[in-house]
């Protein structure tokens, strides 16, 4: 039993209790009030997590708690079973919702007054009854990871869980995910799920500063609609505007969190979103070059090479960072260059050395929008000559994920180049559409 | 004499000649045609630079040139004098244009058929006669640096050149700059030019893929209009749309190159641009909280600490990168965290160690839009506790430049924190305006 469980046992605190906690640090006392949340499973268990009245979760170090009072006991409730499934309605498609952590799960709970980081079908039904009109929902808690702690090994677990659900007859899968790194995970599953023929929809919720109410419900409804569509790709579904007019479905390899807090933080970059999902239920496709639903056994190609770094170029940057990565045995480096994909000329020798030592060096642009082109200026030509792989209009984050995946398959630099420049999951658009830039 | 000058002498090639060059590399021959450009002054002089018919400059290694033919000699022209000034018209304000390199200078030349990387007043007058109706123009070539090679020591030179011009009676200064790192330089001068009371306008030109014609002329006209306005800050003036309807003046600390190639690549982030400069000459201010022109002696506060790094967080990132920077004696690290300003929990111990060893660690967001907030989630609270300085809604690039400047003044972490959180040049907006997000 971890410190937090011991503490809760000792004080008679249960998940869901409304408590007042006094914390002392260096002689300063701070009082917090909120609902006790389930301890994160993968943490060391040294903090008590409570959901404050404003909806935010905070963790308080057990060692710093000098006083705790239970102001209101949790309402008695049934045993939680994550396997719980409501009776299936005939004629409705079947959708599995996989929980991985993040704000979305807790938001749903917050709305109903429940406090579980995960969710049961019954809780979902109470919180967002609309989704049960769209599909038979099977909720599944895979793990409960904070978005910023996501890493390649979890991508694998997610991919296998998705494949299992789809191959056992589910019509679509929704993945509830923290928003910080949702774009990275969506890109990862886009590459790892091969022969995908059904929708795999990432969804999260943003703490929106302009509204106290949560965006989780509408995002989840829109995700469910997309998960039963005639569509067979990985997409991220989130608010398209701050108000509840519509959500957008973005291709998993072309989407980025562009705002720290707004509901409409997620944007397609260098690409048109796949569809608008209106609040009245209409799904309006914004393009026709997406993959449609089809019969196929999805399989997981999960060979990854994790020794990859993503670094950014800036004036005054030193090449020693690149030397360090090479010395440390990194197999790949994705550079966020300036403009069309440049670095200071001074650091080109370190890039030459990296390539000579077999490290794959890929170029993207910190502009985010547009396409790298190393043929225009002399610096670019030098970089090309040094062996840098220009990643077209790929997002730096997508190029990073892709390089991890590509290097899991081959570390021959010519083959790496070919794979990086092969379009596997819409990560490269063949030409830049004029209407995909921010307005 | 460098290799390129020797080569040109030997072959009888002059700047401005239209040539055909055959290049051979590993047995492959490529033929280029274009106008010979002046060799970059700070390069090793091992390449011949020619401007291709499509307007792009390329550098060809002298050692790889197997054949060169002069197709047309440069038109005979007068001696170049960068001190040349056209007779002043009484009643017009005086503006100095400082050239630092980049596409804008060559673009102007390209338009007139001249081929100098720099420019004389006469050349400017021929290329963009409109600016001589707005002000008496004094052109000045400071250096000719490719944008990607810009670094803090050049920021100092620029700042001193600007101060000299303004303190000797000029009414405004325009700095022609490559676009790749123009945002960084504009931020640097925003911090370094103290008691500034006149306009300092950065301008560049983008190679626009949608139009063969250059955006340099309109950008320069708009810059000149802004340089004579009732305005006393550092700003970037570039196209506001792809067509020639208007330019935007962006505050130097809140602007970012957001597209690799479009004319309207520069955008204000988390802030409203200062003004629209319409093609008919009207200057429409979009806000009223800018500094107006005033009598003051500008001075250069150029104490900089260059041992600063800018790094980006991503799933699977290792803390060894931070350890390395600390071991290498870096004094400051700006982190582009995920979301509200997070890092994987795994690397927090390396951040704690960095701070313990006196390294200033600052947090920004890779979302770019929005504001970091380390109070919302437990990871953020841990980062705060580790001593991380949350940089509000500052751009990562601006925080990097600012930290270089702040650490030049103090390396006491409490003082660094105070300075980082003090608004010196509009880099922090006190609250986030709803209408500053991308649309």
């Amino acid at each position: 039993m971890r410190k937090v469980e011991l503490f809760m046992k000792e004080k008679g605190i249960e998940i869901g209790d409304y408590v007042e906690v006094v914390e002392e640090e260096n002689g300063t006392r701070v009082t917090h009030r909120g609902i006790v949340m389930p301890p994160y499973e993968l943490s060391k268990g040294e903090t008590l997590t409570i959901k404050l009245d404003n909806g935010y979760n905070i963790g308080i170090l057990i060692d710093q708690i000098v006083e705790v009072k239970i102001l209101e006991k949790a309402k008695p409730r049934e045993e939680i079973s994550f396997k719980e499934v409501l009776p299936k309605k005939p004629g409705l498609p079947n959708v599995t919702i996989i929980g991985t952590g993040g704000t979305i799960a807790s938001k749903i709970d917050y709305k109903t007054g429940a406090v579980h980081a995960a969710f049961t079908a019954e809780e979902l039904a109470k919180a967002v009854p609309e989704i049960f009109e769209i599909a038979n929902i099977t909720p599944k808690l895979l793990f409960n990871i904070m978005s910023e702690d996501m890493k390649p090994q979890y991508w694998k677990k997610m991919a296998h869980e998705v494949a299992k659900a789809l191959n056992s007859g589910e019509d679509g899968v929704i993945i509830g995910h923290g928003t910080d790194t949702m774009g990275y995970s969506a890109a990862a599953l886009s590459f790892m799920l091969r022969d995908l023929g059904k929708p795999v929809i990432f969804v999260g919720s943003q703490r929106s500063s302009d509204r106290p109410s949560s965006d989780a419900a509408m995002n989840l409804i829109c995700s469910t609609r997309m998960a039963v569509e005639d569509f067979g790709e990985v997409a991220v579904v989130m608010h398209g505007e701050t108000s509840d007019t519509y959500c957008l479905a973005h291709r998993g390899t072309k989407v980025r969190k562009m705002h720290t807090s707004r509901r409409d933080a997620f944007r397609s970059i260098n690409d048109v979103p796949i569809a608008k999902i209106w609040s009245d239920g209409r799904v309006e496709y914004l393009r026709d070059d997406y993959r449609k639903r089809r019969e196929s056994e999805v399989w997981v190609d999960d060979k990854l090479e994790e020794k990859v770094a993503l670094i950014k170029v800036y004036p005054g940057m030193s090449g020693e960072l690149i030397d360090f990565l090479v010395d440390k045995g990194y197999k790949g480096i994705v550079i966020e260059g300036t403009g069309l994909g440049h670095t200071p000329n001074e650091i080109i020798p370190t890039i030459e050395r990296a390539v000579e030592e077999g490290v794959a060096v890929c170029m993207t642009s910190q502009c985010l929008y547009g396409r790298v082109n190393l043929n225009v200026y002399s610096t670019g030509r030098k970089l090309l000559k040094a062996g840098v792989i220009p990643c077209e209009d790929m997002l730096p984050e997508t190029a990073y994920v892709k390089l991890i995946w590509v290097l899991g398959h081959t570390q021959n630099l010519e083959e790496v180049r070919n794979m990086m420049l092969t379009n596997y999951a819409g990560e490269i658009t063949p030409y830049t559409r004029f209407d995909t830039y921010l307005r």
Side-chain angles (χ1 to χ4, degrees), chain A:
Chain A
M1 207 181 269
R2 296 175 298 175
K3 202 177 259 182
V4 55
E5 278 103 6
L6 284 170
F7 176 80
M8 287 171 64
K9 201 176 168 193
E10 185 194 320
K11 302 288 184 186
I13 297 170
E14 288 175 302
I15 291 166
D17 288 354
Y18 187 67
V19 294
E20 183 174 280
V21 182
V22 183
E23 178 185 20
E24 179 172 318
E25 192 180 354
N26 303 329
T28 310
R29 289 186 172 217
V30 186
T31 304
H32 309 282
R33 280 175 175 217
I35 297 169
V36 177
M37 300 287 290
Y40 288 117
E41 288 175 31
L42 292 179
S43 78
K44 290 193 191 144
E46 293 174 353
T47 54
L48 179 71
T49 305
I50 66 172
K51 183 179 286 296
L52 301 178
D53 294 340
N54 63 12
Y56 289 137
N57 289 353
I58 61 165
I60 305 159
L61 275 179
I62 303 290
D63 288 345
Q64 294 181 6
I65 298 176
V66 290
E67 211 184 303
V68 61
K69 244 189 306 200
I70 298 172
L71 301 180
E72 194 183 336
K73 285 300 291 176
K75 293 168 195 73
R77 46 195 311 291
E78 284 156 56
E79 197 74 60
I80 299 161
S81 159
F82 295 118
K83 296 211 180 66
E84 174 190 10
V85 180
L86 293 187
K88 288 200 177 186
K89 292 186 196 167
L92 277 192
N94 301 311
V95 169
T96 290
I97 301 183
I98 296 174
T100 69
T103 311
I104 182 144
S106 66
K107 285 287 172 178
I108 294 163
D109 301 334
Y110 183 58
K111 199 170 166 183
T112 57
V115 289
H116 306 278
F119 46 86
T120 65
E122 201 190 322
E123 284 167 340
L124 272 174
K126 279 184 198 156
V128 198
E130 295 91 332
I131 62 175
F132 290 84
E133 302 301 316
I134 305 167
N136 294 310
I137 302 288
T138 306
K140 190 147 200 172
L141 179 70
L142 180 59
F143 40 66
N144 191 15
I145 308 253
M146 284 185 282
S147 183
E148 60 271 24
D149 289 331
M150 203 53 76
K151 48 174 118 173
Q153 66 187 79
Y154 300 129
W155 300 339
K156 290 189 190 185
K157 288 188 185 166
M158 273 187 247
H160 283 284
E161 199 66 31
V162 168
K164 203 166 74 183
L166 293 181
N167 289 338
S168 67
E170 291 292 283
D171 296 298
V173 167
I174 295 170
I175 302 175
H177 195 292
T179 56
D180 269 27
T181 61
M182 189 156 67
Y184 295 88
S185 294
L189 264 64
S190 301
F191 295 117
M192 291 163 77
L193 293 173
R194 306 317 302 161
D195 295 333
L196 178 64
K198 293 173 181 172
V200 175
I201 310 299
F202 278 84
V203 68
S205 79
Q206 279 281 86
R207 177 69 207 179
S208 132
S209 55
D210 46 325
R211 293 215 187 171
S213 68
S214 165
D215 52 340
M218 176 162 161
N219 288 347
L220 197 54
I221 294 166
C222 292
S223 303
T224 311
R225 292 203 189 283
M226 201 63 204
V228 301
E229 275 291 301
D230 184 8
F231 174 67
E233 297 190 33
V234 176
V236 166
V237 170
M238 293 286 287
H239 265 62
E241 295 190 321
T242 47
S243 56
D244 283 344
T245 44
Y246 61 86
C247 286
L248 286 171
H250 306 274
R251 184 162 272 162
T253 50
K254 298 299 262 188
V255 62
R256 196 173 187 281
K257 185 175 180 179
M258 291 295 287
H259 199 284
T260 57
S261 55
R262 279 171 65 125
R263 295 157 160 239
D264 56 347
F266 282 80
R267 296 295 173 119
S268 285
I269 308 281
N270 292 325
D271 209 9
V272 177
I274 292 161
K276 261 186 184 172
I277 303 113
W278 293 91
S279 54
D280 65 7
R282 248 181 326 133
V283 176
E284 177 194 346
Y285 284 89
L286 303 176
R287 53 197 299 167
D288 51 17
D289 59 344
Y290 57 90
R291 204 188 312 134
K292 300 216 167 194
R293 185 182 284 275
R294 61 167 184 225
E295 279 308 312
S296 66
E297 181 99 349
V298 61
W299 58 283
V300 179
D301 182 354
D302 68 352
K303 292 188 286 295
L304 303 181
E305 165 60 66
E306 298 189 22
K307 278 299 241 184
V308 176
L310 172 57
I311 63 172
K312 179 162 170 164
V313 159
Y314 47 87
M317 178 196 188
S318 157
E320 62 193 5
L321 213 61
I322 292 170
D323 277 334
F324 169 75
L325 293 171
V326 177
D327 293 343
K328 276 284 179 180
Y330 277 72
K331 304 296 182 199
I333 301 172
V334 174
I335 298 178
E336 269 190 26
T338 59
L340 292 163
H342 300 136
T343 68
N345 273 279
E346 248 180 52
I347 74 163
I348 295 180
T350 66
I351 294 173
E352 282 166 357
R353 181 213 156 197
V355 176
E356 273 162 24
E357 302 208 7
V359 179
V361 181
C362 296
M363 185 60 72
T364 62
S365 174
Q366 60 189 252
C367 296
L368 304 179
Y369 290 89
R371 189 181 296 271
V372 299
N373 186 343
L374 300 183
N375 291 303
V376 177
Y377 292 101
S378 61
T379 304
R381 284 160 44 94
K382 280 186 216 159
L383 287 165
L384 272 184
K385 215 179 141 188
V388 164
I389 303 166
C391 290
E392 297 286 344
D393 70 333
M394 253 183 266
L395 279 168
E397 295 85 358
T398 297
Y400 166 72
V401 171
K402 184 175 181 182
L403 188 56
I404 288 176
W405 182 74
V406 165
L407 287 170
H409 295 75
T410 176
Q411 305 203 348
N412 170 303
L413 290 190
E414 259 325 291
E415 289 169 19
V416 170
R417 171 183 300 268
N418 289 340
M419 286 186 76
M420 284 305 291
L421 298 179
T422 300
N423 191 13
Y424 288 93
E427 71 275 20
I428 298 170
T429 58
Y431 65 97
T432 303
R433 279 180 58 156
F434 190 75
D435 57 354
T436 56
Y437 186 43
L438 52 88
R439 308 134 190 269

